Amino acid sequence: DGGITQSPKYLFRKEGQNVTLSCEQNLNHDAMYWYRQDPGQGLRLIYYSQIVNDFQKGDIAEGYSVSREKKESFPLTVTSAQKNPTAFYLCASGRDSTNYGYTFGSGTRLTVV
Amino acid sequence: GENVEQHPSTLSVQEGDSAVIKCTYSDSASNYFPWYKQELGKRPQLIIDIRSNVGEKKDQRIAVTLNKTAKHFSLHITETQPEDSAVYFCAADQGAQKLVFGQGTRLTINP
């Protein structure tokens, strides 16, 4: 799907449970990003990584964690500390400069049950 | 840090008319301004972008203009068609390989 794959497409989480969203890219992009999208709102940055084994907090990092052990992969864990996790999560990747924009994955819709 | 504001939040136009969406940004160091289109339940897709050394860029029915002095940029869609209905996001770069997005505009094309 455009070289960046997110899975699963739909995910249901019980209260107090941690869940992990997968993001894999084969575009050889250095940078990867996680955004959260709520209905009627824009894209808010959760975490981003410019290089393997390094990542930075975005604007709404609380209750989330990430890892970047491989260039191709940037999984996002939604922990039980995230009190309102129901949202649409988008992963993106980019080249070594923002001047080429992002390629987005198809998203994961997370619902708390 | 960078702040991007986008207006209007919703826009409804008759098929065949033009649509204009405007964004302002706060960081004068920003140099890259992309526009994304997101159809319902799908991923955002880059439709056009502009860099700070250019004032206007056009691609068929879509154009983007940039005024660096005033720190605003706009998306123009001419001869709108039903398939143009979507949510549109503007963005500005904030160095460090980050993009800051506007809140989005829901564009509806009425037949």
Side-chain angles (χ1 to χ4, degrees):
Chain A
D1 208 0
I4 182 165
T5 303
Q6 286 187 243
S7 62
K9 188 169 183 176
Y10 299 96
L11 186 58
F12 298 90
R13 192 194 93 168
K14 295 180 180 179
E15 295 283 350
Q17 189 179 48
N18 292 357
V19 291
T20 297
L21 284 59
S22 171
C23 179
E24 304 276 336
Q25 55 100 358
N26 61 5
L27 299 168
N28 199 33
H29 285 171
D30 289 312
M32 297 186 74
Y33 310 83
W34 275 106
Y35 284 88
R36 169 177 171 146
Q37 187 174 30
D38 293 284
Q41 296 195 30
L43 304 173
R44 293 187 290 168
L45 183 63
I46 304 172
Y47 268 99
Y48 66 103
S49 168
Q50 299 174 16
I51 196 168
V52 175
N53 293 323
D54 186 50
F55 48 83
Q56 307 294 329
K57 292 183 179 180
D59 301 318
I60 55 166
E62 186 175 352
Y64 300 97
S65 66
V66 293
S67 63
R68 186 85 188 277
E69 298 177 0
K70 299 187 300 181
K71 186 175 185 177
E72 301 79 17
S73 179
F74 191 41
L76 174 74
T77 297
V78 184
T79 74
S80 56
Q82 171 50 241
K83 297 306 179 186
N84 186 23
T86 295
F88 189 51
Y89 291 86
L90 285 160
C91 178
S93 69
R95 291 164 67 172
D96 56 3
S97 162
T98 56
N99 287 338
Y100 295 94
Y102 294 169
T103 299
F104 281 91
S106 55
T108 293
R109 188 165 299 281
L110 174 63
T111 304
V112 173
V113 295
Chain B
E2 177 68 279
N3 181 49
V4 177
E5 296 197 359
Q6 183 173 346
H7 300 281
S9 58
T10 60
L11 179 60
S12 182
V13 301
Q14 290 298 119
E15 183 177 352
D17 288 349
S18 296
V20 180
I21 302 170
K22 299 180 179 181
C23 289
T24 60
Y25 61 99
S26 60
D27 188 350
S28 57
S30 293
N31 288 306
Y32 177 65
F33 308 92
W35 286 88
Y36 289 83
K37 175 183 180 181
Q38 186 179 28
E39 296 178 11
L40 189 63
K42 296 191 176 180
R43 61 178 174 160
Q45 293 194 304
L46 179 68
I47 56 172
I48 196 167
D49 57 15
I50 192 167
R51 293 168 175 76
S52 60
N53 58 346
V54 176
E56 182 174 1
K57 183 177 178 180
K58 189 173 182 179
D59 182 3
Q60 299 183 350
R61 296 186 297 107
I62 294 173
V64 57
T65 58
L66 171 65
N67 183 327
K68 281 223 75 178
T69 302
K71 290 189 280 188
H72 67 72
F73 56 112
S74 301
L75 178 70
H76 305 253
I77 306 174
T78 60
E79 301 173 13
T80 53
Q81 300 169 4
E83 53 265 36
D84 294 329
S85 294
V87 178
Y88 292 81
F89 292 97
C90 64
D93 71 311
Q94 190 188 337
Q97 304 174 15
K98 286 198 298 179
L99 289 176
V100 178
F101 288 85
Q103 293 298 301
T105 296
R106 182 173 299 279
L107 175 62
T108 302
I109 308 302
N110 301 310

